[in-house]
Amino acid sequence: MNKNSILLLGPAGTGKTYYAKQIAHGHKSLLIFLNNNSSYENLINGIEIITSGGTILYEERKKAILNFLLEAKANNSEEYYLILDDINRVDLNDILGEVIYALKNRGSIISLKNGDELQIFDNLKVIATASTSDTHSETLKKVVHYFDKIEYVQNDLDKYLSSLKEMKNKCLCPFGPLEYNELEKSLSEEYIKYTSKYCVFNKEYKKMEREYKIGYTYFLPPSGIPMKLWFESVQHKIRNQVRPLLFKLSEDGIIKKEYIPKEYVNDTRYIFGSIKEEQIIILNNSDILDEEINVFDNGHHLPIGQDAGGHHTSNWQYLILISIVRDMINNSLINHLDLFDIFLNDYDVLCYSTGQKTPSGKSISGLFLEENYVQYFCSNDNANGNKGSYTYRANLHKFLFNNKTYLMFNAYNADRLKVLCPYSIKDCIRPILRAQNGQKRHLYQTIKVLVYKYLSKYKKNLEQILEQEEILECRILFNQVINDLDFVSKLTDDDKYADKPYYIQLHGQNGRNIIDTIRNLPTWLYMKNNNGVYKIMSNEYKKIMNITKIKQMILQGPPGTSKTYSAKKFICDEIGITGDDWEKQIENYHLVTNNNEYKEPLIGKKTYWDIIQFHPSYTYEDFVRGIAVFPNQKPIYGEIKGENEYSIKMNPVNSIEYKSINKTIGKIAKLSLNAYKKAERENKLDECPNYYLIIDEINRANLATVFGELIYALEYRGEEGKIKTPYVVDGTDSLVLPPNLYIIGTMNTADKSIGIIDYAIRRRFLFFKLLPNVNTIVNSINKKSPEADIKCCIEIQLFYVINVLFENCLNTFDYEKEDVQLGHTYFLRKSSDTKEIADQAMYRFLYQVVPIIFEYKKDGILDLGKIKSMNNSVEKEILKILSEILNANENKKIDKYKKMVTILVSPDAQSLIEKYLNDNKE
C-alpha cells in the first residue's frame, strides 16, 4: 500500500471519520466500520449462510469491499475511496488477506482464495482511521508501513474554534457577532479547562499527550439545535461524557487524578436558592481574624507603617483582599465549585511567575495555591507585617476545599509597583511585566478583575435561566449585574477621573474605600441578603439525551444504588404513571414477543419498553441478528384406503427449520422505525411513540463484540447511520436505529473484574452517576413509620456506619468512594412491625452487607488497618467492632452486632448521626 493511501490517527473524538469523508467528498466511496466481528469472509469473499424455505443454504459470494474494488477497476478513470474506519480494532492482514498485496502492487494481477483475479489501479484511494487512545498499538505496528502517509488529525483549540464557526454558518438560529463571540469565549474556556487544567498527564505519558488528549468533538454541540442551547448542551456532554472519561484516563494511569475537580453539583440547570454542596471552608488564623474585625468592624486603622501602632500580623493589603474573598465565600452568588475555579485557575486574576515549578510541573495560575506546593515558590516575607511581600505565607488564613488545604497569594505592595488601576477592564487584565520578579498584579487590579470575573459568572448563570423561562426577578437581577459589571470595569485610582463615581482614592488609610465601593454595589447588597443562582443536579435524562442528540446512556454506581429501579422509574415517569403500584402498572407498556417480532401490548400509547441483561457469554447473534432454529410445525397427512388399509404421505421437509431473525435490538429498532416513518409521513413527529431498551449490567459483556457495527449506528441515528449486517432479515441486510429509540444501560462501578468500556464506545454514551443517598432511606422510613425519630432508626445508624467505614478506610490511591461505597437499597425499611424492622435490618446487614465488606477487604478496596489512626473515639470503637464482626464465626456475629448497636444509640453517637443527617439533608 505504498501509494495513494493515508492513515489518520488521533484519540477518540477528533473527527477522524468526518475528516476521511471530507477527503473523499465528491467521489465514489465505501465506508467500512471495522469491529470485532469483521472478517475476510464477510468483507472480501466467503461462504454466506442463507436461510431459505426453512433450510440453510451455503453460497459463496463477493462481499462489499471486493465488489467496490471490482467497480473501481471497471471505471479506472474515476477516483474511488475506500474508507476503513477503526483499523485498530482488527488485524488488517487477516481482514484483507491477499488484497493487501494487490494494494501494495497496483496494476499487478493477483489471485484470490476462490480462484478469481483482482487488479487494483491508482484510481483506488485508501483512507484508514485508527484511535490512538485505545490500547491496540501492537495491531497498528503491523500495518503502519503499508501507508504512504500517516497524519495526526488536528486536535487543538484552533480546530475546535474553526469547527464551532463551521457549525455557526449552518445554524438555523445563529447569534449576532457580539453574542457569538461571548458564546465562543465561554465554550473555549470550558475546552481549555477540561483538556489542560484538569487533564495533567503522568510522567510516563507526557510525551504521548497527542495520542490521549481529549478529542475536541466532545465539546461541540450537536448539529441542528439552536445556538442558544449550545452552552447547555456542551455542559451536559462535559458532565456526562468528559468527566467520566477523565476518571477513566486517571484509572488507566494516563493522567493525574488529583487535578480532576470532584463533582458536587451538576453543570446543567440553574435555580434561585441554595443547595447542599461541598463548601469552601475558611480555616482562620485567629490573630489575623482579630485584625480583620478591628479594622472592618471596630473602625481601627489599616496596619500601614506608623498607622499600625506597632507590630501587626499581616500585610494590610491582604486584609483588604481577604474581606472581598470572605464575602464571596460566605454569601456566594454562584456554586463554590465555580467560585473555587476562579480562585485557583483564573490566570487573569493574578499573574505570578518565577520560573519555579513543583516536581509534578505545577506552576501558579491563580489566586490560590495548594499548601503542599508553597515550598516550591519564593518566600521573602520572613517577618510580621508586609516586609518583603510577594509570597505565599503559611501563617495566614487557610482554605479547605475537596479535602485539600490552600493558601491565598500575598503579593501586593502598591508602593513598590507604582501602577494606577487602568480605566478599562481589558487593560487591567493585561499582566504587568517585571523582569526580575515575574508578572505581578496590582492589589486593586486583582480585586477589580476578581469581582468582575465573579459577577460575570453570576450573569452567565442568570442567562441560562432566562433562556429557559422569562422570570421577572431574574430579568431585574440580570439588568442590574450588567450595570454593575460596567461600573467595576471602570474602577480606577487615576486622579484624572477624580470627579467620576468610579474613582477610588487609594492612598494610605483610604485603601478601605475599595471595600466600601464593592460592598455598596446593588448586586453585592443583594448577595449579602439573599441567595444566589445555583447550579443543581438534573436527572432529566430524556431532555439531556435530546439536547445532546446522544440517545443512549448508562446509569452507573456502586452496588445498592437503585440503578435498574431508576431506569424503570424513569420510563414510568415518561409514561405518566403514579402511585405505589407503579411497578405493576408499567408492565402494561412492556413489549411482548409474537412470532419473533415485538408487538405493543396497548395500541396508541406514547411509550413502550423492554429489559434484557448482558452477561459474559452474550454475543452479537444474541443481541442484533442471527440464525434461529425452529421445530418443523408442518402437518403429516394420512389416507385411509380400506377397512384395514391406510397410508401416510409426508412432505419431504426437515424436522427443524432455520431462519435469519432480528434479535432484541433488531426487533425494537424495526418496531420503532416503522412508528417513526408513519409519524413522519403523517407530519406528526411530535406524537411519535418512544421506545426504550434497558440493558442491565451492560458492561458484563464485551460491548465491542456484542454491538459490532451497531456502535456507529448509535452515533448516526436514522438513515444517515444505516449499517449493513452479516444477516439478511426481511430481504435486507441493513439496520437503522431511529431517533425515537433510547437505550439505557446500568453499570456496577465497583466490579473491576468485568469488561471495560473502551474509549470509542464511551464517546457514544452519556454516563449518569447514581450514588448512595441517605435521604432515600429516610423516605422509606417515613412511609412505613411516619412518627419515627429518624436518627434513632436502625437503618440510618447502620448506613452511617458504612459511611464512616468508607470515609476512613478506603484505599483512595486505587478507588473512588463514589464507585464502591455500598448503596442505600441494603438499608431501606420494608415493614411497619417493630420486631420485623429490627430483624430485617440485622440479617440484611450480617448476611448481605458484611460479606461484601469482607470481599472489599480481601480485594484491597478497604484497609481496616487505618482504624488505629482515627481521631474520633466513638467512630473508632464502632469500626473496631465491625472489624470483629467480619472475622467472627456465626455464633458470635449477632452478639458483636448487638454490641455495635448499643454504641450507636449512645448520646455521643446520636449526636454524630444527627449532624450527618443535617449535612446531607435535601
Side-chain angles (χ1 to χ4, degrees):
M1 209 181 292
N2 54 8
K3 290 183 180 180
N4 304 311
S5 57
I6 181 172
L7 174 60
L8 303 178
L9 296 175
T14 46
K16 298 181 294 295
T17 308
Y18 177 75
Y19 182 35
K21 289 179 180 179
Q22 282 185 315
I23 296 172
H25 182 69
H27 303 283
K28 290 197 174 183
S29 62
L30 173 65
L31 175 59
I32 298 294
F33 299 115
L34 296 172
N35 60 81
N36 292 30
N37 300 318
S38 300
S39 68
Y40 179 94
E41 285 71 24
N42 60 35
L43 290 176
I44 306 295
N45 191 84
I47 301 297
E48 187 166 307
I49 303 174
I50 303 169
T51 59
S52 178
T55 62
I56 291 182
L57 302 177
Y58 298 90
E59 291 186 5
E60 185 177 11
R61 292 192 175 184
K62 297 180 178 67
K63 300 303 176 68
I65 290 180
L66 182 54
N67 285 326
F68 186 73
L69 296 178
L70 292 173
E71 183 184 341
K73 175 191 173 186
N75 301 281
N76 59 23
S77 61
E78 297 181 36
E79 283 193 358
Y80 281 69
Y81 284 82
L82 173 62
I83 303 173
L84 301 174
D85 203 37
D86 266 359
I87 65 168
N88 50 299
R89 289 187 176 276
V90 299
D91 187 323
L92 207 58
N93 290 296
D94 290 344
I95 297 296
L96 296 183
E98 62 271 35
V99 172
I100 286 276
Y101 184 81
L103 288 166
K104 288 174 64 177
N105 299 276
R106 292 172 181 250
S108 301
I109 298 174
I110 63 111
S111 296
L112 300 176
K113 292 178 184 178
N114 66 349
D116 288 347
E117 293 182 340
L118 176 65
Q119 188 177 24
I120 296 176
F121 297 109
D122 286 345
N123 68 315
L124 190 282
K125 316 293 181 183
V126 177
I127 307 173
T129 74
S131 173
T132 55
S133 55
D134 283 322
T135 53
H136 302 284
S137 56
E138 293 303 316
T139 303
L140 281 177
K141 284 178 183 177
K142 295 178 182 178
V143 297
V144 289
H145 64 279
Y146 292 150
F147 294 90
D148 179 53
K149 181 181 179 183
I150 298 175
E151 179 180 342
Y152 276 86
V153 177
Q154 187 182 350
N155 182 34
D156 53 24
L157 181 60
D158 288 342
K159 180 61 178 176
Y160 178 61
L161 294 177
S162 67
S163 297
L164 281 177
K165 286 184 171 65
E166 186 179 336
M167 296 182 70
K168 171 183 179 289
N169 295 334
K170 297 177 182 178
C171 189
L172 296 177
C173 306
F175 280 172
L178 292 177
E179 289 176 300
Y180 176 76
N181 289 341
E182 189 171 340
L183 173 63
E184 184 186 77
K185 184 175 184 294
S186 298
L187 290 173
S188 60
E189 285 173 355
E190 297 297 301
Y191 173 86
I192 293 168
K193 189 189 303 180
Y194 281 91
T195 57
S196 299
K197 292 182 178 178
Y198 300 159
C199 188
V200 179
F201 285 84
N202 282 312
K203 185 176 180 181
E204 57 270 36
Y205 284 93
K206 236 348 190 161
K207 295 181 180 179
M208 301 174 67
E209 289 189 26
R210 180 175 62 176
E211 284 81 1
Y212 287 98
K213 183 179 179 181
I214 301 174
Y216 72 91
T217 65
Y218 278 102
F219 303 88
L220 290 177
S223 59
I225 68 169
M227 200 173 288
K228 70 176 184 177
L229 298 178
W230 277 18
F231 189 78
E232 182 184 357
S233 174
V234 171
Q235 288 291 312
H236 282 298
K237 292 178 72 175
I238 287 172
R239 176 204 174 195
N240 301 308
Q241 284 193 310
V242 175
R243 289 182 55 80
L245 176 60
L246 284 174
F247 281 106
K248 170 64 178 161
L249 287 167
S250 70
E251 187 180 288
D252 291 345
I254 297 168
I255 67 172
K256 299 180 179 182
K257 184 169 68 175
E258 61 265 29
Y259 286 93
I260 307 171
K262 200 169 182 66
E263 180 186 38
Y264 294 95
V265 290
N266 187 23
D267 300 38
T268 56
R269 194 155 59 92
Y270 299 80
I271 61 165
F272 288 109
S274 60
I275 60 169
K276 284 289 179 185
E277 59 162 284
E278 184 75 356
Q279 298 288 315
I280 302 169
I281 299 172
I282 304 176
L283 304 175
N284 290 302
N285 175 309
S286 58
D287 291 336
I288 301 174
L289 181 59
D290 287 344
E291 277 200 349
E292 282 186 63
I293 294 171
N294 284 334
V295 171
F296 296 111
D297 294 342
N298 300 332
H300 290 195
H301 281 184
L302 286 168
I304 303 174
Q306 297 301 317
D307 294 333
H311 291 290
H312 48 90
T313 58
S314 65
N315 186 311
W316 65 273
Q317 299 172 53
Y318 178 87
L319 291 182
I320 292 177
L321 183 57
I322 187 61
S323 67
I324 294 292
V325 169
R326 192 180 293 277
D327 280 358
M328 291 178 175
I329 292 175
N330 291 342
N331 304 88
S332 189
L333 292 167
I334 60 177
N335 283 121
H336 280 205
L337 190 66
D338 285 335
L339 178 59
F340 199 77
D341 187 51
I342 296 173
F343 291 157
L344 187 66
N345 294 315
D346 201 313
Y347 184 77
D348 290 336
V349 174
L350 175 74
C351 295
Y352 186 77
S353 175
T354 64
Q356 293 169 290
K357 292 187 177 182
T358 68
S360 63
K362 172 75 176 178
S363 58
I364 186 170
S365 61
L367 188 63
F368 281 21
L369 185 73
E370 192 177 336
E371 185 178 22
N372 293 340
Y373 294 151
V374 171
Q375 59 182 305
Y376 299 105
F377 293 89
C378 67
S379 180
N380 299 324
D381 198 348
N382 52 15
N384 287 338
N386 59 350
K387 179 182 177 182
S389 188
Y390 309 121
T391 180
Y392 279 99
R393 287 179 52 195
N395 64 334
L396 299 174
H397 294 316
K398 296 179 182 179
F399 304 85
L400 183 66
F401 187 72
N402 193 14
N403 297 320
K404 291 183 180 180
T405 308
Y406 299 82
L407 286 98
M408 190 169 69
F409 204 56
N410 183 15
Y412 318 105
N413 191 317
D415 294 333
R416 286 180 63 181
L417 287 177
K418 300 289 185 186
V419 177
L420 295 174
C421 284
Y423 173 81
S424 163
I425 190 70
K426 291 181 181 178
D427 293 329
C428 191
I429 286 176
R430 272 185 213 138
I432 301 164
L433 301 178
R434 291 178 62 84
Q436 292 184 339
N437 295 317
Q439 300 174 352
K440 297 196 171 43
R441 179 76 72 225
H442 188 283
L443 168 67
Y444 306 106
Q445 286 177 292
T446 295
I447 291 177
K448 177 175 172 177
V449 177
L450 176 63
V451 172
Y452 188 86
K453 294 276 186 170
Y454 173 68
L455 295 181
S456 295
K457 192 73 174 176
Y458 174 57
K459 170 179 168 283
K460 185 185 294 183
N461 292 357
L462 290 169
E463 280 180 312
Q464 293 295 311
I465 294 179
L466 291 170
E467 284 179 2
Q468 303 300 318
E469 183 180 2
E470 184 64 36
I471 303 172
L472 180 59
E473 181 186 4
C474 184
R475 178 60 66 185
I476 293 170
L477 294 171
F478 181 73
N479 292 336
Q480 183 59 62
V481 77
I482 289 176
N483 292 335
D484 289 348
L485 280 166
D486 180 63
F487 182 83
V488 171
S489 174
K490 296 174 181 176
L491 285 178
T492 183
D493 61 345
D494 192 334
D495 291 340
K496 69 181 180 182
Y497 296 102
D499 60 334
K500 302 293 184 182
Y502 39 80
Y503 168 75
I504 307 176
Q505 190 178 24
L506 299 177
H507 306 297
Q509 291 300 324
N510 292 324
R512 299 169 56 162
N513 290 348
I514 195 167
I515 302 298
D516 295 334
T517 302
I518 297 300
R519 285 180 170 170
N520 283 315
L521 289 172
T523 302
W524 214 267
L525 292 171
Y526 175 85
M527 175 184 82
K528 298 295 288 289
N529 297 295
N530 296 274
N531 293 318
V533 176
Y534 289 90
K535 295 175 180 178
I536 67 167
M537 186 162 288
S538 168
N539 284 329
E540 298 175 77
Y541 301 134
K542 185 177 176 184
K543 175 190 173 185
I544 296 172
M545 285 190 282
N546 286 338
I547 198 172
T548 58
K549 293 195 175 180
I550 300 170
K551 300 297 183 75
Q552 44 281 335
M553 69 178 190
I554 291 177
L555 301 177
Q556 61 175 4
T561 47
S562 310
K563 295 178 288 294
T564 307
Y565 172 95
S566 297
K568 289 183 177 179
K569 191 68 171 66
F570 160 60
I571 294 171
C572 176
D573 293 340
E574 287 297 300
I575 296 170
I577 292 173
T578 58
D580 292 339
D581 64 340
W582 66 267
E583 289 184 272
K584 180 179 179 181
Q585 293 185 58
I586 198 176
E587 289 301 317
N588 295 326
Y589 301 82
H590 196 160
L591 292 170
V592 296
T593 301
N594 184 10
N595 293 326
N596 293 298
E597 299 283 355
Y598 271 141
K599 301 291 183 185
E600 294 96 340
L602 299 170
I603 304 300
K605 300 299 180 181
K606 295 290 292 288
T607 305
Y608 302 98
W609 69 286
D610 193 20
I611 183 170
I612 58 173
Q613 188 176 62
F614 276 1
H615 48 77
S617 60
Y618 217 85
T619 67
Y620 178 92
E621 284 73 18
D622 297 320
F623 184 58
V624 185
R625 282 179 171 175
I627 295 175
V629 181
F630 302 93
N632 193 320
Q633 301 294 324
K634 293 185 178 180
I636 299 174
Y637 297 97
E639 180 182 2
I640 300 175
K641 293 185 177 180
E643 186 175 340
N644 295 315
E645 291 184 57
Y646 63 90
S647 65
I648 298 175
K649 186 177 181 181
M650 296 179 60
N651 288 332
V653 295
N654 297 325
S655 58
I656 56 175
E657 183 178 2
Y658 299 91
K659 188 177 181 182
S660 296
I661 63 169
N662 283 317
K663 293 302 180 73
T664 303
I665 192 72
K667 289 189 296 186
I668 200 167
K670 178 182 176 181
L671 187 65
S672 53
L673 181 61
N674 289 339
Y676 187 83
K677 285 183 174 179
K678 181 176 183 292
E680 199 172 34
R681 286 194 304 270
E682 297 174 357
N683 198 25
K684 294 181 179 179
L685 282 177
D686 56 328
E687 299 178 14
C688 181
N690 293 313
Y691 297 79
Y692 297 86
L693 177 63
I694 300 173
I695 305 175
D696 207 20
E697 304 285 3
I698 191 170
N699 59 326
R700 291 194 70 84
N702 184 329
L703 294 191
T705 300
V706 171
F707 276 90
E709 65 280 344
L710 208 64
I711 293 170
Y712 304 93
L714 294 174
E715 184 172 7
Y716 304 100
R717 290 300 185 100
E719 291 297 319
E720 182 188 359
K722 181 185 289 187
I723 52 142
K724 291 188 177 295
T725 71
Y727 299 95
V728 176
V729 176
D730 299 330
T732 179
D733 62 355
S734 298
L735 188 62
V736 171
L737 299 185
N740 61 327
L741 172 59
Y742 298 82
I743 298 172
I744 307 170
T746 70
M747 184 172 80
N748 181 354
T749 52
D751 195 343
K752 301 294 183 183
S753 65
I754 56 184
I756 61 170
I757 300 178
D758 68 32
Y759 294 106
I761 296 176
R762 277 181 167 273
R763 191 168 63 81
R764 292 164 171 90
F765 281 85
L766 297 168
F767 290 80
F768 293 89
K769 294 177 185 175
L770 292 180
L771 303 178
N773 188 348
V774 68
N775 294 289
T776 305
I777 305 172
V778 171
N779 293 337
S780 75
I781 294 172
N782 287 335
K783 281 186 179 181
K784 297 295 182 181
S785 312
E787 305 302 321
D789 182 353
I790 295 298
K791 71 178 183 297
C792 298
C793 294
I794 184 61
E795 297 91 346
I796 296 294
Q797 295 167 354
L798 294 175
F799 187 76
Y800 172 72
V801 170
I802 295 302
N803 184 71
V804 172
L805 174 67
F806 280 87
E807 282 286 344
N808 292 278
C809 299
L810 179 66
N811 169 10
T812 54
F813 185 80
D814 296 312
Y815 297 92
E816 290 286 331
K817 179 185 172 187
E818 60 189 26
D819 287 341
V820 292
Q821 180 178 332
L822 298 188
H824 43 262
T825 61
Y826 296 103
F827 306 90
L828 300 179
R829 180 165 290 188
K830 298 182 178 181
S831 174
S832 301
D833 182 85
T834 305
K835 180 67 168 64
E836 282 187 9
I837 289 170
D839 287 347
Q840 283 180 0
M842 179 177 70
Y843 289 121
R844 278 190 301 177
F845 188 81
L846 292 178
Y847 299 105
Q848 283 189 304
V849 175
V850 167
I852 298 175
I853 297 300
F854 183 81
E855 290 300 318
Y856 275 6
K857 176 191 171 187
K858 192 169 68 174
D859 293 342
I861 297 174
L862 291 171
D863 178 6
L864 301 189
K866 293 182 177 182
I867 295 174
K868 296 177 183 177
S869 59
M870 289 176 61
N871 295 322
N872 188 294
S873 58
V874 176
E875 294 180 339
K876 185 175 184 177
E877 184 62 26
I878 290 169
L879 292 193
K880 281 176 65 179
I881 298 173
L882 177 60
S883 180
E884 293 171 4
I885 292 174
L886 294 178
N887 299 307
N889 60 38
E890 294 302 313
N891 296 330
K892 296 287 187 180
K893 267 185 169 60
I894 293 179
D895 290 340
K896 292 185 180 297
Y897 169 84
K898 289 179 179 178
K899 181 181 176 183
M900 184 176 72
V901 171
T902 301
I903 298 176
L904 287 169
V905 298
S906 69
D908 288 342
Q910 287 288 287
S911 176
L912 292 170
I913 293 170
E914 186 170 23
K915 181 179 184 304
Y916 170 71
L917 286 169
N918 288 333
D919 289 344
N920 291 276
K921 191 174 183 180
E922 288 183 339

